[in-house]
Amino acid sequence: MKLLIIGGDAAGMSAASRAKRNMPDMEVTVLEQTADVSYSACGMPYNIADPHRDMNDLVVRKADAFREKQGIELLTGHRAEAIDADGGTVTAVTPQGKTAVFPYDHLILATGASPVFPDVPGRSLPGVMALKQLEDGRRIKEYIKSRQVASVLILGMGYVGLEMCEALRARGIQVAMVKPGPDLLPWMDRSLAQVVSEELAANEVALHTGQTVLEIREQGRRLSAVTAAGILEADMILSAMGIHPNSALATEAGISLGPENSIAVDKQLHTSRPHVFAAGDCADAYHVVTGQKTWIPLALRANRAGWAAADVVCGRGADIEGVAGTAVFKVFNLEVARTGLSMAEAHRAGFDPVSATIRSRSRAHAHPGATDLHVHVIGDRISGKLLGAQMVGREGAAHRINAAAVALHAGMSVERFSGMDLAYAPPFGPTWDPLLTAANQLVKQLRS
């Protein structure tokens, strides 16, 4: 049996390794268009923060290890160009520029996602960059070093952009952020988002909301982003406006798409074409709260989906669990976490959402080192079901959010969640865990 995989990062290499583990005699070939495989992309901002670290520190496993230890035919520098789903072949371009055709019995698309750039003049100028692949990280570090970058303008205010604020400020670089929308983290409760905004201000990050970049100009060694409100100048511009799924190959092969033009898959990762699967950032998923299709590209789902797709190919079957959108990121000294739906998302999904927001403490009363912990929880007025949770604090948010995520996967009501037996000790939280306090407040709201 021939298994062909397009894409050699999280989902792709997880699928390849799992398939060889399940069926050592299977012929597994991976086409990866870059020179890098199996690396920790989420660690790139923290690597950039340290000028002395090598970006290759983030490589989890080198390509030769897959080839020599597992017998995977891993072909780096091979760019897939077309899929013939009827004939069971993929056409690719080799590093030498030649065309090669690869037959398959089963195909897994793990093509990932690409960064969004503003569709404006000057978007391709040197110094306008994005951070998605390992080579992007290398390029950014080299540019900062060679150009002695002193200021960076970040387009967008999402997870990666906020993490890069900290990385750049750690190197003494001035940072400003700009976005068209009026709000920082629009999915977040406004009182929690204000805490994040104050943390950015305390670390001298300038926020320019409600401004659309119309053009990027080069002026000597500096760049200018032109908006209706004026001109924002910097030595480098980082586009952190989000990502979009790499689904063009699938579209051209007649494969159906889902939300945000991601590749539509069922719970066993089948696409609309026989023997073709998709996993990772290029594919959609089912949301555990709504039961509806969604596209939430995160690392754990990519690795888990790669495993599941390989299991199905090997005849083992897999009914992969959906996603709750659980995420956590660091903004200087703050932990910012979320799981499930926001109020706006809950409304769009057809719920009648009610929320409660509290400010608690990260440790027991009077225990040294305690800091504020802000918690926002959402429930459905009609069913009483827990719909989502958000947390911001200097400690205690990152791992605490997992309790709410488990409750969402279990389909718990707010009342049942409020009765959970959570751990307590003074160094780690109050007797009533902040999540439980918030849930108790939400129960009152739902009953009123």
Side-chain angles (χ1 to χ4, degrees), residues 213-290:
V213 174
L214 305 173
E215 182 183 359
I216 299 173
R217 299 172 183 168
E218 191 173 30
Q219 296 182 324
R221 292 174 61 88
R222 287 174 66 76
L223 296 167
S224 297
V226 180
T227 76
I231 295 176
L232 302 171
E233 294 188 350
D235 297 325
M236 188 181 96
I237 291 178
L238 178 70
S239 184
M241 301 167 59
I243 59 177
H244 61 83
N246 292 330
S247 57
L249 274 175
T251 302
E252 293 165 4
I255 295 170
S256 298
L257 301 184
E260 308 294 331
N261 289 323
S262 57
I263 302 171
V265 295
D266 63 15
K267 292 183 178 180
Q268 293 193 323
L269 289 310
H270 297 101
T271 69
S272 61
R273 298 303 300 266
H275 309 294
V276 181
F277 303 78
D281 289 357
C282 64
D284 68 8
Y286 288 91
H287 201 291
V288 297
V289 178
T290 67

Side-chain angles (χ1 to χ4, degrees), residues 55-66:
M55 191 60 65
N56 289 331
D57 288 350
L58 299 177
V59 174
V60 178
R61 199 172 195 203
K62 295 182 179 179
D64 284 343
F66 290 103

Side-chain angles (χ1 to χ4, degrees), residues 59-80:
V59 174
V60 178
R61 199 172 195 203
K62 295 182 179 179
D64 284 343
F66 290 103
R67 297 176 182 129
E68 296 167 5
K69 295 183 179 181
Q70 293 180 269
I72 296 169
E73 187 177 8
L74 173 53
L75 303 176
T76 54
H78 284 65
R79 187 179 70 254

Side-chain angles (χ1 to χ4, degrees), residues 20 29 43 46 70 79 88 96 156 207 230 272 305 308 343 362 372 383 415 427 431 440:
K20 289 297 285 187
T29 302
Y46 308 102
Q70 293 180 269
R79 187 179 70 254
Q96 294 75 35
L207 300 182
S272 61
M343 284 291 285
S362 63
D372 285 345
S383 67
E415 190 161 3
T431 306
N440 284 329

Side-chain angles (χ1 to χ4, degrees), residues 116-427:
V116 174
F117 282 87
D119 187 15
V120 298
R123 55 171 281 178
S124 300
L125 286 170
V128 180
M129 303 185 181
L131 183 62
K132 183 65 175 72
Q133 299 179 338
L134 202 61
E135 187 56 31
D136 296 330
R138 296 189 188 101
R139 190 160 45 244
I140 288 170
K141 289 193 82 167
E142 177 57 31
Y143 195 88
I144 290 173
K145 178 182 177 182
S146 63
R147 295 295 189 102
Q148 296 183 325
V149 169
S151 62
V152 173
L153 176 64
I154 298 176
L155 311 183
M157 300 181 187
Y159 299 170
V160 173
L162 291 169
E163 289 172 342
M164 281 299 294
C165 284
E166 180 179 351
L168 295 167
R169 292 296 296 132
R171 298 186 61 164
I173 296 171
Q174 295 178 354
V175 179
M177 307 183 83
V178 60
K179 66 173 291 188
D183 297 320
L184 173 70
L185 300 172
W187 51 265
M188 179 173 276
D189 175 74
R190 289 300 86 205
S191 64
L192 273 66
Q194 181 61 31
V195 176
V196 179
S197 179
E198 290 169 1
E199 182 73 7
L200 291 168
N203 286 277
E204 301 179 345
V205 175
L207 300 182
H208 302 278
T209 56
Q211 297 189 36
T212 300
V213 174
L214 305 173
E215 182 183 359
I216 299 173
R217 299 172 183 168
E218 191 173 30
Q219 296 182 324
R221 292 174 61 88
R222 287 174 66 76
L223 296 167
S224 297
V226 180
T227 76
I231 295 176
L232 302 171
E233 294 188 350
D235 297 325
M236 188 181 96
I237 291 178
L238 178 70
S239 184
M241 301 167 59
I243 59 177
H244 61 83
N246 292 330
S247 57
L249 274 175
T251 302
E252 293 165 4
I255 295 170
S256 298
L257 301 184
E260 308 294 331
N261 289 323
S262 57
I263 302 171
V265 295
D266 63 15
K267 292 183 178 180
Q268 293 193 323
L269 289 310
H270 297 101
T271 69
S272 61
R273 298 303 300 266
H275 309 294
V276 181
F277 303 78
D281 289 357
C282 64
D284 68 8
Y286 288 91
H287 201 291
V288 297
V289 178
T290 67
Q292 300 168 1
K293 282 298 194 76
T294 188
W295 182 62
I296 305 176
L298 292 170
L300 177 58
R301 167 71 183 193
N303 283 277
R304 178 176 284 143
W307 277 13
D311 283 347
V312 175
V313 166
C314 295
R316 295 191 170 197
D319 192 0
I320 188 169
E321 184 79 12
V323 297
T326 309
V328 61
F329 56 99
K330 186 171 178 285
V331 182
F332 294 100
N333 292 315
L334 286 181
E335 299 174 2
V336 183
R338 71 167 295 185
T339 189
L341 306 179
S342 67
M343 284 291 285
E345 290 164 345
H347 276 294
R348 288 196 295 270
F351 294 104
D352 183 6
V354 179
S355 69
T357 305
I358 63 134
R359 183 177 69 179
S360 183
R361 301 290 280 173
S362 63
R363 306 182 188 184
H365 174 70
H367 192 89
T371 58
D372 285 345
L373 188 59
H374 303 261
V375 185
H376 176 75
V377 289
I378 302 165
D380 179 37
R381 187 187 302 277
I382 297 171
S383 67
K385 184 178 179 180
L386 181 69
L387 300 180
Q390 303 169 8
M391 305 183 76
V392 174
R394 296 189 179 281
E395 65 175 7
H399 294 294
R400 211 176 233 109
I401 199 69
N402 287 330
V406 170
L408 293 177
H409 278 269
M412 282 188 181
S413 67
V414 177
E415 190 161 3
R416 185 181 174 204
F417 179 61
S418 71
M420 289 180 65
D421 182 21
L422 301 184
Y424 160 68

